[in-house]
Amino acid sequence: MPELPEVETERGRLARRIEGRRIVSARIDDSRLTRPEPPEWVAARLGGERVTTVERRGKYLLIRLESGDVLVVHLRMTGSFRYEPATHERAVLELDDGTRIAYRDLRRFGTWTLFEPEKADEHLSVRLGPEPLGRGFTTGYLAGRLQGRRAPVKAAILDQRTVAGLGNIYADEALWHAHVHPLRPAGELGEEELAAVRDGIRTALRRGIRRQGADLGDGTYSGGLMQREFRVYGRTGKACDRCGMPIEKTRVGGRGTWFCPSCQV
Ligand SMILES: [Zn+2]
């Protein structure tokens, strides 16, 4: 499931091909992708538009159009853009330079939502906390957000309203960097621990972006190398890179969760 580093990688690849280009035709074959709007309506609105920029907010892509409209794409489980014909294509964009961009989505949970000017940012701002790599994500902000919360810290940082863009992989990696156990009640963390969690989140995400995200070999996302550098995620029984103790697996809110039992307290 794409998280911030994977979505940021998609953003960069898409931006290089589509920014400044005109969409000469759009075809959307899956009504689930655009509902409640009919796919033909969204496709017709995209046709003829020039793309100004491709931005990212949390795990969402924002494709900004010359008219001011914004196509907000959420890849969810298995969505990705492809530049060669692929299986499970749900939509195709043809550009004025001949580029063909396909949207592939095996499990069909992804969404394409077309917003009028200003509405996209409004829509996302009520659903998403600050960008973890932005200036608004401070230790003070995190302290205020987690104050009094009895939920495990991992569950708290997975909440997109706390901070935008984390999923199961990078939450585990972040807490390893922070030396904080994923089951610790969020509201019990001291100031130094909160600072470590904030820094751990940023470290884990920056590493992921540098490696162009993770490719778990499930055919849904390709190209990244972060999976070779996981410190805890999926590493049950392997030695902790920091202290040598075997990594353990538990569950937090129903999600598989990996941690070092010795150096995460
Ligand atoms: Zn350890």
Side-chain angles (χ1 to χ4, degrees):
M1 183 164 174
E3 302 181 31
L4 189 152
E6 290 77 32
V7 177
E8 179 59 25
T9 302
E10 285 278 344
R11 188 202 64 75
R13 289 176 181 164
L14 184 61
R16 279 199 295 281
R17 289 168 173 94
I18 207 172
E19 280 182 356
R21 299 256 67 96
R22 191 173 297 281
I23 300 169
V24 292
S25 79
R27 197 187 83 217
I28 303 174
D29 299 325
D30 186 354
S31 61
R32 274 177 64 168
L33 194 57
T34 58
R35 68 186 177 193
E37 305 298 347
E40 301 79 14
W41 180 83
V42 175
R45 293 279 293 264
L46 293 175
E49 280 269 21
R50 189 180 295 280
V51 174
T52 54
T53 57
V54 183
E55 297 167 13
R56 182 194 53 72
R57 179 81 173 87
K59 302 181 203 172
Y60 295 83
L61 290 169
L62 286 77
I63 302 174
R64 295 193 187 273
L65 306 169
E66 198 172 45
S67 65
D69 285 355
V70 183
L71 180 68
V72 174
V73 175
H74 197 180
L75 304 170
R76 300 270 180 198
M77 300 285 286
T78 56
S80 65
F81 286 95
R82 300 297 173 107
Y83 307 97
E84 286 166 12
T87 56
H88 306 286
E89 287 184 356
R90 308 298 178 198
V92 175
L93 303 175
E94 307 269 3
L95 307 185
D96 57 358
D97 65 350
T99 301
R100 178 182 188 275
I101 299 177
Y103 174 76
R104 178 179 192 264
D105 197 342
L106 186 65
R107 308 249 333 245
R108 300 174 62 213
F109 289 113
T111 55
W112 283 25
T113 312
L114 191 63
F115 287 94
E116 291 173 0
E118 313 301 326
K119 297 286 185 202
D121 300 280
E122 265 174 43
H123 176 84
L124 294 178
S125 68
V126 297
R127 287 166 177 77
L128 300 176
E131 282 295 310
L133 301 176
R135 289 167 54 177
F137 186 56
T138 62
T139 303
Y141 161 81
L142 191 62
R145 182 75 207 176
L146 301 188
Q147 191 174 32
R149 288 183 64 177
R150 299 205 318 227
V153 61
K154 179 175 174 188
I157 63 172
L158 281 176
D159 181 345
Q160 300 298 296
R161 291 165 299 177
T162 302
V163 59
L166 282 177
N168 207 37
I169 292 176
Y170 294 94
D172 283 0
E173 296 292 302
L175 292 174
W176 180 87
H177 284 291
H179 299 247
V180 169
H181 194 291
L183 284 166
R184 286 279 298 285
E188 285 183 10
L189 299 182
E191 197 172 324
E192 281 184 24
E193 291 173 316
L194 288 162
V197 170
R198 181 254 188 195
D199 292 348
I201 288 170
R202 291 162 68 102
T203 299
L205 294 173
R206 285 204 178 104
R207 289 170 59 95
I209 291 170
R210 206 177 307 134
R211 295 290 172 254
Q212 299 191 296
D215 189 333
L216 302 183
D218 54 5
T220 57
Y221 176 78
S222 59
L225 292 173
M226 186 59 199
Q227 68 281 1
R228 296 185 187 171
E229 298 184 19
F230 288 158
R231 305 303 190 123
V232 285
Y233 182 83
R235 299 189 70 232
T236 312
K238 302 226 171 76
C240 172
D241 290 345
R242 204 158 42 201
C243 74
M245 281 287 283
I247 300 299
E248 290 184 7
K249 183 182 182 185
T250 183
R251 295 193 88 77
V252 176
R255 316 286 301 273
T257 295
W258 287 267
F259 65 101
C260 171
S262 168
C263 64
Q264 287 178 256
V265 294

